[in-house]
Amino acid sequence: MSRQKSKDTGIEMALRRALHAAGLRYRVHRRPARGVRREADIVFGPTKVAVFVDGCFWHGCPDHATWPRRNAEFWRSKIEGNRARDRDTDARLAESGWLSLRVWEHESPDEAAVRIARAVEERRVARASAGR
């Protein structure tokens, strides 16, 4: 398990390519908000959108999660802990005015990019209208 990539995974790279092709610019592997010691995979700073690409195994995907038989209690605790941390991260970012978007590794990168682009654009429009 120690050989599993945590950054620049295949789905993450495909998603970044799709977002870039859609004309979106972003930062990668950054802490979105001060005081929140969690790193997002993709960050859209001005619109305060943080994207997390979650692996089905590590984050307990409702559709594709597998529960190992060996050392089952350890893995259940580990994965449930990851889920709890994800919920906590989303709540902390929301308190700071950020929108957290989660993309599962099994999702189509192109479909996820459309969903992200829509959210970024909605927040961009809302921000522009609030500034008037």
Side-chain angles (χ1 to χ4, degrees):
M1 291 298 181
S2 65
R3 293 183 185 160
Q4 294 291 320
K5 289 179 76 170
S6 62
K7 294 182 179 182
D8 301 330
T9 61
I11 180 65
E12 189 180 325
M13 297 302 291
L15 178 60
R16 286 171 21 194
R17 280 191 295 273
L19 290 169
H20 195 272
L24 295 173
R25 300 301 178 256
Y26 47 82
R27 303 279 184 212
V28 296
H29 303 293
R30 297 279 173 101
R31 290 182 181 174
R34 289 187 178 158
V36 180
R37 294 183 53 210
R38 312 278 166 70
E39 188 177 276
D41 296 309
I42 301 169
V43 177
F44 297 92
T47 56
K48 293 189 173 185
V49 175
V51 179
F52 298 87
V53 181
D54 293 340
C56 290
F57 174 77
W58 295 105
H59 295 269
C61 171
D63 297 332
H64 301 104
T66 58
W67 298 100
R69 290 189 182 106
R70 289 184 183 225
N71 210 359
E73 192 57 39
F74 167 81
W75 285 111
R76 182 161 298 278
S77 174
K78 170 72 173 156
I79 293 167
E80 291 298 332
N82 289 346
R83 286 175 160 175
R85 189 181 62 245
D86 292 345
R87 288 188 300 271
D88 180 62
T89 299
D90 293 346
R92 287 175 185 240
L93 289 176
E95 288 172 6
S96 298
W98 284 77
L99 173 65
S100 293
L101 297 176
R102 297 213 170 253
V103 176
W104 289 107
E105 72 175 327
H106 67 264
E107 286 186 62
S108 159
D110 293 329
E111 290 175 13
V114 168
R115 182 167 51 98
I116 293 165
R118 189 176 304 126
V120 169
E121 183 58 28
E122 286 172 3
R123 291 188 60 109
R124 186 176 290 143
V125 168
R127 185 173 166 233
S129 63
R132 291 182 191 180

